[in-house]
Amino acid sequence: MVRLVLPNPGLEDRIPSLGELEVIEKEEASSRPKWDNKAQYMLTCVGFCVGLGNVWRFPYLCQSHGGGAFMIPFLILLVLEGVPLLHLEFAIGQRLRKGSVGVWSAIHPALKGVGIASMFVSFMVGLYYNTIIAWVMWYFFNSFQEPLPWSECPLNDNRTGYVEECARSTPVDYFWYRETLNISTSISDSGSVQWWVLLCLTCAWSVLYVCTIRGIETTGKAVYITSTLPYVVLTIFLIRGLTLKGATNGIVFLFTPNVTELANPVTWLDAGAQVFYSFSLAFGGLISFSSYNSVHNNCEMDSVIVSVINGFTSVYAATVVYSIIGFRATERFDDCFSQNILTLINGFDLAEGNVTQENFAEMQQWCNATDPVAYAQLKFQTCDMNTFLSEGVEGTGLAFIVFTEAITKMPVSPLWSVLFFIMLFCLGLSSMFGNMEGVVVPLQDLKVIPKKWPKEVLTGLICLVCYLIAFVFTLNSGQYWLSLMDGYAGSIPLLVVAFCEMFAVVYLYGIDRFNKDIEFMIGHKPNIFWQITWRVVSPLLMLVIFLFFFVVQVNKELIYSVWDPTYEEFPKSQKVSYPDWVYGVVVIVAGVPCLTIPGFALYKLIRNCFRKQESQQGLVSALSTTSVNGDLKY
């Protein structure tokens, strides 16, 4: 077993001893918030981990990588990568009783950059994530209409026909791209602020502020609704979906395994990335949440339970989504077939009802034999069920186009629309609770804000700053900016942070010390599974995934999808290259959090070189002593 531990002088002085933990917990009782009960804590963690990605990215990956075959690498990597890192974050937060910055600077002062990097990632992801919630609110407000506004095209100014852009695409496309986003044809064409999106953005940040105004004291109450309601709505949609024509086509298509995909390395790498992101690891929020627990809380059991719920939710949500996609594909298949039947009837002046889907091929042969010349002039559409099912859509396209189109074809469609967007709102809001925790607590640890400022003011200030920066997403080019942020803010930086977290605990804090800590907290040492995954398997997996994505991203040309009515293949989205200045934005969004880690370590090294001390401690800036409440004194 690997037992390498790097020199870390002064560690014993920077962290409270096991004997002091229970005393510290009692001292903190009046000064530090804590969970009302275990259910509140678990619901908060589940709400943070289970987010919009479980609903709209996991089903897409299943469909793209062999259906049921994708479940195999997903579940394997969930066990080998997700669960160990989740347990590590829960345990280290509970042991050191601090947020991300406090935990990593206690392990080693040079690691404070790891906590700062987590804070940056939480901040940037929160910027665009709450904008998605604003879009969800816009659709929710528009759902109280019959018919739904995206169910049919609006009339043109002359009232003589439909708006051309809508007639050439679809009502759901038009409502999303034109009436919601009013999207431009380039990220460089910023346009103006769309007041309706700005209004919803104001509502979204206001709701988030009210829910997080006093940290876990208020979010702990909100999660009883935000973390449970999505499961109720998913179950309602599953029951409704299974009663719709063609729902089983979608579910069978989803779970039919294409085992050849298991030999594709991209399938395994995508599964590893999905496991990693779906757990909301390395944001810092889970470390903060666990720090409010009792010292003797069973963090090992918590990590297993949250992991099982997260994996189950991904599969469950995929089943619901593809029951609806199966219904949508069947509707489109039937419409396509009806158009072909109408073409045949009109071409040969046949009586209505004589041609059906069952005898269509036979009637085609008869017509071709009767008048080959006339038959050759007919143009039939290609109607293939698998083609309609295979139209891979993820992210906002799944939520705001595919699902909304399916809802318009359901009886009492406004009701299903309201339920669907309530579910998305709850999923997004509960994830934002963790993002806010990942920003507020590190700022308190860094003492950037005066300690006398109440938490309500600090939370309000953060929400206000994020709200003002998020104005960029309300512009005509806002969707392009959001896609750019989504692609880079929460990808490589999280992998780097997570790798540094595991390396820090295993090789700087010391795995033997960590084992003793867990034994003290839960009553037994971590078993051989945790030992192997923490020391070797999980770090190697993260390193492989990081290197793969880094190589792919460096060699890949940056392109994005543009909605342009003048494009010759419209309504297909046009793929165009980003302007050169976007590379600078990518470096800031993805590079700054990553460079914070070595940058801060280098700063500590240089500062120590110019500092004259009685004993040189390498990167350690000074001996530190632990106060009664566990804070560090330098």
Side-chain angles (χ1 to χ4, degrees):
M1 192 69 72
V2 180
R3 289 187 179 276
L4 173 66
V5 179
L6 300 177
N8 190 1
L11 176 62
E12 297 290 350
D13 299 310
R14 292 193 301 271
I15 62 173
S17 67
L18 294 177
E20 293 174 318
L21 276 181
E22 292 174 340
V23 176
I24 291 173
E25 183 178 359
K26 291 177 182 177
E27 293 289 335
E28 288 177 343
S30 58
S31 62
R32 202 165 189 270
K34 62 179 181 179
W35 301 105
D36 291 346
N37 52 64
K38 185 64 174 285
Q40 191 180 81
Y41 165 66
M42 294 299 289
L43 285 173
T44 303
C45 291
V46 168
F48 183 34
C49 293
V50 176
L52 296 172
N54 294 73
V55 174
W56 64 33
R57 178 150 178 81
F58 181 78
Y60 166 77
L61 289 173
C62 283
Q63 180 265 320
S64 302
H65 293 298
F70 182 76
M71 304 288 179
I72 297 172
F74 174 76
L75 293 175
I76 290 174
L77 293 175
L78 182 144
V79 171
L80 296 179
E81 178 189 15
V83 184
L85 189 53
L86 184 66
H87 186 194
L88 182 140
E89 290 202 352
F90 279 168
I92 202 67
Q94 186 173 306
R95 165 64 175 90
L96 299 181
R97 315 198 64 71
K98 297 179 182 299
S100 56
V101 168
V103 162
W104 304 119
S105 58
I107 291 176
H108 199 298
L111 290 176
K112 186 179 283 188
V114 176
I116 296 173
S118 292
M119 181 186 69
F120 278 147
V121 175
S122 290
F123 177 78
M124 286 189 287
V125 170
L127 284 178
Y128 71 82
Y129 208 88
N130 220 32
T131 303
I132 298 174
I133 297 176
W135 292 339
V136 168
M137 294 178 80
W138 167 250
Y139 269 78
F140 173 75
F141 295 146
N142 277 280
S143 296
F144 295 93
Q145 303 179 46
E146 178 63 56
L148 291 170
W150 53 83
S151 62
E152 54 188 26
C153 288
L155 295 175
N156 57 26
D157 293 336
N158 298 327
R159 320 286 295 180
T160 56
Y162 295 124
V163 172
E164 182 184 2
E165 184 180 349
C166 183
R168 292 173 58 204
S169 54
T170 64
V172 288
D173 285 331
Y174 182 80
F175 187 85
W176 169 239
Y177 287 111
R178 188 56 54 211
E179 297 199 10
T180 300
L181 303 176
N182 195 19
I183 200 165
S184 62
T185 56
S186 168
I187 192 172
S188 301
D189 182 10
S190 299
S192 58
V193 171
Q194 310 306 300
W195 66 266
W196 55 92
V197 178
L198 179 60
L199 191 62
C200 291
L201 188 69
T202 306
C203 292
W205 280 106
S206 299
V207 170
L208 182 63
Y209 174 64
V210 170
C211 291
T212 59
I213 188 169
R214 293 183 61 81
I216 67 167
E217 295 175 36
T218 46
T219 58
K221 307 297 187 294
V223 293
Y224 288 117
I225 296 174
T226 59
S227 296
T228 57
L229 191 59
Y231 291 96
V232 175
V233 177
L234 277 174
T235 303
I236 293 172
F237 263 101
L238 179 62
I239 295 170
R240 180 68 183 102
L242 292 176
T243 64
L244 296 171
K245 181 183 179 183
T248 53
N249 291 335
I251 295 174
V252 168
F253 180 81
L254 172 66
F255 288 106
T256 301
N258 178 10
V259 291
T260 58
E261 279 290 326
L262 295 177
N264 182 2
V266 177
T267 300
W268 288 83
L269 290 161
D270 277 350
Q274 176 61 19
V275 165
F276 185 82
Y277 303 138
S278 69
F279 275 90
S280 298
L281 298 166
F283 281 96
L286 293 173
I287 294 176
S288 293
F289 287 151
S290 64
S291 71
Y292 304 122
N293 277 325
S294 165
V295 170
H296 294 291
N297 173 64
N298 192 339
C299 52
E300 181 181 270
M301 184 60 69
D302 293 346
S303 63
V304 173
I305 292 173
V306 172
S307 302
V308 170
I309 292 174
N310 196 6
F312 165 77
T313 304
S314 294
V315 177
Y316 190 53
T319 306
V320 175
V321 166
Y322 266 86
S323 70
I324 303 300
I325 287 180
F327 163 69
R328 172 180 176 264
T330 302
E331 287 281 316
R332 297 181 70 179
F333 178 80
D334 289 344
D335 290 343
C336 177
F337 230 116
S338 297
Q339 188 63 43
N340 285 347
I341 290 172
L342 188 62
T343 299
L344 194 63
I345 289 175
N346 291 337
F348 282 84
D349 197 23
L350 302 173
E352 287 189 21
N354 281 2
V355 184
T356 63
Q357 286 190 20
E358 288 73 22
N359 68 358
F360 181 73
E362 184 182 334
M363 292 299 295
Q364 276 186 308
Q365 293 176 356
W366 180 83
C367 292
N368 188 26
T370 304
D371 190 346
V373 177
Y375 181 82
Q377 294 177 346
L378 300 180
K379 293 184 179 179
F380 296 102
Q381 299 180 29
T382 302
C383 303
D384 179 58
M385 178 64 77
N386 281 340
T387 301
F388 292 124
L389 288 167
S390 298
E391 292 178 351
V393 181
E394 64 172 322
T396 53
L398 177 63
F400 299 113
I401 296 177
V402 173
F403 233 83
T404 50
E405 180 185 339
I407 285 171
T408 60
K409 300 180 185 300
M410 296 182 189
V412 201
S413 54
L415 172 63
W416 300 109
S417 183
V418 167
L419 284 174
F420 177 65
F421 289 109
I422 283 178
M423 178 187 74
L424 292 186
F425 176 78
C426 289
L427 285 170
L429 188 63
S430 57
S431 293
M432 278 301 298
F433 293 161
N435 278 327
M436 285 298 294
E437 186 75 12
V439 177
V440 173
V441 175
L443 283 178
Q444 291 177 319
D445 290 344
L446 289 168
K447 298 179 175 59
V448 175
I449 306 297
K451 197 170 184 178
K452 63 181 179 179
W453 283 26
K455 197 162 190 175
E456 295 88 340
V457 174
L458 175 57
T459 304
L461 186 63
I462 294 170
C463 287
L464 179 62
V465 170
C466 290
Y467 167 70
L468 293 175
I469 296 175
F471 271 38
V472 69
F473 302 122
T474 68
L475 301 172
N476 296 103
S477 59
Q479 160 71 3
Y480 304 137
W481 279 100
L482 190 140
S483 297
L484 181 66
M485 292 284 285
D486 187 36
Y488 295 96
S491 54
I492 287 180
L494 288 178
L495 287 166
V496 173
V497 170
F499 178 81
C500 290
E501 286 182 357
M502 192 159 282
F503 181 85
V505 171
V506 175
Y507 299 111
L508 281 173
Y509 186 76
I511 192 66
D512 291 333
R513 176 185 279 106
F514 192 50
N515 288 336
K516 291 176 183 176
D517 291 345
I518 293 176
E519 183 179 16
F520 173 79
M521 291 190 293
I522 69 175
H524 63 84
K525 282 187 176 181
N527 59 35
I528 189 68
F529 166 77
W530 302 112
Q531 303 299 327
I532 293 174
T533 52
W534 283 335
R535 295 169 194 252
V536 180
V537 177
S538 295
L540 279 178
L541 284 172
M542 283 187 284
L543 195 59
V544 169
I545 293 171
F546 166 73
L547 291 175
F548 171 80
F549 276 107
F550 184 77
V551 170
V552 168
Q553 295 297 338
V554 167
N555 293 323
K556 187 175 70 174
E557 181 186 8
L558 294 184
I559 59 173
Y560 66 114
S561 298
V562 171
W563 179 262
D564 185 1
T566 63
Y567 179 47
E568 58 185 15
E569 295 185 34
F570 183 82
K572 286 185 177 180
S573 295
Q574 183 180 7
K575 303 289 185 182
V576 299
S577 299
Y578 275 113
D580 292 340
W581 56 264
V582 167
Y583 287 84
V585 176
V586 170
V587 170
I588 294 172
V589 170
V592 168
C594 297
L595 295 175
T596 301
I597 300 171
F600 193 86
L602 186 62
Y603 158 74
K604 296 291 288 188
L605 176 63
I606 294 173
R607 194 180 75 167
N608 288 340
C609 287
F610 286 96
R611 224 177 194 188
K612 292 182 179 180
Q613 300 178 355
E614 293 181 2
S615 58
Q616 295 297 326
Q617 300 182 33
L619 287 176
V620 182
S621 60
L623 285 173
S624 53
T625 58
T626 309
S627 64
V628 177
N629 62 1
D631 292 332
L632 298 178
K633 291 182 178 179
Y634 293 98

